Amino acid sequence: MNRRNFLQGFLATSAMAAAPVSWVYAANRPGNVPPLDISTLQWKSAGDLPDHYTLLNTNPLNAMPSIEKLNPDITPAGTSFIRWNGNMPDFASIDVDKWQFKVDGESVITAKSYTIDDLKTKFQNHSLHLTLECGGNSRRNFYPKAKGNQWNDGAVYCSKWTGVLVSDVLNDCGVKDDAVYTGHHSFDKHLSGKGEAISRGVPIDAALNDNALIAWAMNDQPIPYLQGYPLRIVFGGRPASISSKCATGISIRNKVHDGHKMESPSYRVPTYPVAPGEMVDPKDFEIIEHMIVKSLITSPASGTEVKLGEPLTINGHAWAGLRDVVKLDISYDYGVRWHSTTLKKPVNPRAWQQWETTLTLPEKGYYEIWAKATDSEGDSQPVVQPQWNPKGYMFNGCHRIAVRVV
Ligand SMILES: Nc1nc2c(c(=O)[nH]1)N[C@H]1C(S)=C(S)[C@@H](COP(=O)(O)O)O[C@H]1N2
Ligand SMILES: [Mo]
């Protein structure tokens, strides 16, 4: 029996009460129906990850999926990238009933603390598909190389999150007029064992006006451990570093938040265009508040072979930070000609959008297929390297795959 079958057998026959999944009717499950892939919810470390992940780091754990795994419209548990900045919590010891989410800070009117049950029952519940992209997604494409995790183009995903609006919770506590920024807090600790691993935030306007969530479910299941069980702050379209996993609270600050990884040059880009490789003074950086127009080709996998004359269906996703994507073009001749594709509207703002086209490549040989998205303000993806920056953030050059016609 391989590891996966073993796990499934174990999950089907044991009590199913173990966190995070409680499977009430497990005993009634017909033996020939395999359970949903819920084992992914309990992955705890690098050793649990299957072959479609490439490990960038084990401590802290950072892993990226192969791009074709991101093909579904809604990214399933067990395929999204995994990014931790510090020591992961001891997930199994988390008591979900006792979990507290605190709202405090200089600019809160009444500091309050909520259990997850309080959140579920006191506020309207919402489900949203939200795109989470690491600020350093695609970093490995920059030349010269920028230091940091060398993410492929897969440090992005769009799952369905269920929770309450950040704004509803902040308004329940009251926001003073002098509020400037939020500070987001998590349970996990810095690698040194002291202080938070990461604590970032957003301008107060974003916290009050984005449809951002304090979520307890991802794709209608408890949030997988590695994606932030039991509660996560989720802001679509902004650097995913803001979307705190294992979230313990939000401080309403009367200044720009000064938590760990808010300091320059973390999650910041130069305030002026710099030459590739140029040194930049830390005072000349500004915070990345949102991500920018970008796309992925998720099918076929790069390296696919097709027979001459055989139609090839190409599809993927496109997203544009706080904007919508209005056009997705592809080229199979290095950008000489561009061909339009069918592009869907987002299911809700800040969800990634699906596109598809079918083409028949004209003759035998090697092709590159490039995808280029254009957003509602007319901005599109560069075909070569975008503005280089010292930390390698916001790479949004066209995604490319190789196809051979035989
Ligand atoms: N608690 C906690 N939340 C966190 C982080 C972290 O290290 N700890 N990393 C952030 C960063 S930098 C990113 S890119 C996303 C990654 O989310 P994912 O692991 O679900 O892909 O989580 C963010 N939230
Ligand atoms: Mo990130």
Side-chain angles (χ1 to χ4, degrees):
M1 201 190 298
N2 65 28
R3 185 172 60 93
R4 179 189 215 78
N5 288 339
F6 169 77
L7 264 179
Q8 288 179 345
F10 168 77
L11 288 169
T13 51
S14 68
M16 294 312 304
V21 185
S22 110
W23 189 359
V24 182
Y25 299 110
N28 300 344
R29 184 180 68 81
N32 60 338
V33 180
L36 292 177
D37 195 9
I38 53 176
S39 61
T40 63
L41 302 190
Q42 299 192 13
W43 291 349
K44 284 187 197 138
S45 64
D48 295 331
L49 307 185
D51 289 348
H52 61 259
Y53 278 99
T54 304
L55 272 178
L56 291 167
N57 224 323
T58 51
N59 191 34
L61 180 60
N62 287 283
M64 58 196 187
S66 53
I67 301 302
E68 47 305 350
K69 278 285 166 190
L70 295 174
N71 194 44
D73 300 2
I74 301 175
T75 312
T79 58
S80 47
F81 78 103
I82 297 160
R83 160 86 172 121
W84 290 89
N85 286 266
N87 294 321
M88 286 187 295
D90 176 8
F91 298 106
S93 73
I94 291 173
D95 182 346
V96 62
D97 297 327
K98 298 216 174 95
W99 193 265
Q100 294 283 326
F101 189 86
K102 292 193 185 99
V103 179
D104 59 11
E106 305 90 352
S107 298
V108 72
I109 294 175
T110 315
K112 291 189 187 177
S113 187
Y114 306 89
T115 62
I116 296 178
D117 203 50
D118 290 338
L119 295 174
K120 284 183 178 171
T121 53
K122 285 193 175 153
F123 302 98
Q124 199 189 330
N125 294 190
H126 298 264
S127 288
L128 293 167
H129 298 204
L130 295 170
T131 310
L132 289 183
E133 182 177 20
C134 180
N137 187 23
S138 309
R139 179 180 284 125
R140 73 171 185 193
N141 302 331
F142 273 116
Y143 183 85
K145 201 168 142 160
K147 270 203 210 128
N149 281 306
Q150 295 297 299
W151 296 108
N152 64 1
D153 303 294
V156 58
Y157 67 107
C158 185
S159 294
K160 177 185 170 192
W161 298 92
T162 302
V164 295
L165 292 177
V166 169
S167 54
D168 283 350
V169 176
L170 298 191
N171 285 325
D172 184 56
C173 301
V175 178
K176 288 188 193 163
D177 289 345
D178 66 353
V180 171
Y181 225 84
T182 58
H184 303 170
H185 303 291
S186 308
F187 189 52
D188 47 315
K189 294 281 169 285
H190 191 263
L191 286 179
S192 67
K194 284 187 209 117
E196 290 176 289
I198 183 167
S199 172
R200 305 198 63 248
V202 294
I204 192 68
D205 280 352
L208 295 177
N209 297 310
D210 277 22
N211 280 331
L213 296 174
I214 303 168
W216 53 79
M218 177 178 144
N219 300 339
D220 303 314
Q221 299 273 7
I223 300 172
Y225 286 161
L226 295 178
Q227 257 66 46
Y229 179 78
L231 198 63
R232 182 169 193 175
I233 299 170
V234 194
F235 277 81
R238 300 182 184 272
S241 49
I242 286 155
S243 293
S244 297
K245 306 194 266 194
C246 311
T248 53
I250 294 181
S251 306
I252 308 176
R253 306 295 316 266
N254 63 0
K255 58 180 179 187
V256 174
H257 183 50
D258 51 3
H260 188 47
K261 301 238 168 167
M262 282 300 295
E263 68 279 9
S264 190
S266 289
Y267 301 102
R268 290 177 186 232
V269 288
T271 50
Y272 59 91
V274 303
E278 199 173 314
M279 297 280 284
V280 182
D281 193 307
K283 72 173 179 13
D284 293 329
F285 283 81
E286 60 193 5
I287 299 173
I288 302 166
E289 296 294 5
H290 58 82
M291 300 306 290
I292 53 178
V293 63
K294 196 164 173 180
S295 58
L296 270 183
I297 305 168
T298 52
S299 181
S302 191
T304 293
E305 282 190 0
V306 278
K307 293 219 168 64
L308 183 63
E310 215 174 72
L312 177 66
T313 297
I314 301 164
N315 68 270
H317 315 286
W319 62 97
L322 311 183
R323 302 174 182 169
D324 283 355
V325 176
V326 296
K327 193 160 78 111
L328 190 295
D329 297 318
I330 63 134
S331 175
Y332 50 86
D333 53 13
Y334 301 90
V336 177
R337 291 187 194 182
W338 291 92
H339 309 272
S340 61
T341 68
T342 308
L343 172 72
K344 282 196 198 154
K345 297 229 173 328
V347 293
N348 54 250
R350 304 182 197 180
W352 67 12
Q353 299 168 235
Q354 283 58 58
W355 59 270
E356 183 175 305
T357 191
T358 299
L359 53 89
T360 307
L361 294 167
E363 57 183 294
K364 285 187 182 178
Y366 171 87
Y367 294 83
E368 279 192 15
I369 297 174
W370 295 3
K372 181 169 72 163
T374 304
D375 73 20
S376 49
E377 302 289 314
D379 292 350
S380 65
Q381 298 182 250
V383 292
V384 291
Q385 162 158 293
Q387 172 66 56
W388 186 93
N389 60 91
K391 299 278 286 175
Y393 293 127
M394 296 213 284
F395 185 99
N396 75 332
C398 291
H399 185 221
R400 308 145 65 194
I401 61 161
V403 172
R404 189 176 287 279
V405 179
V406 291

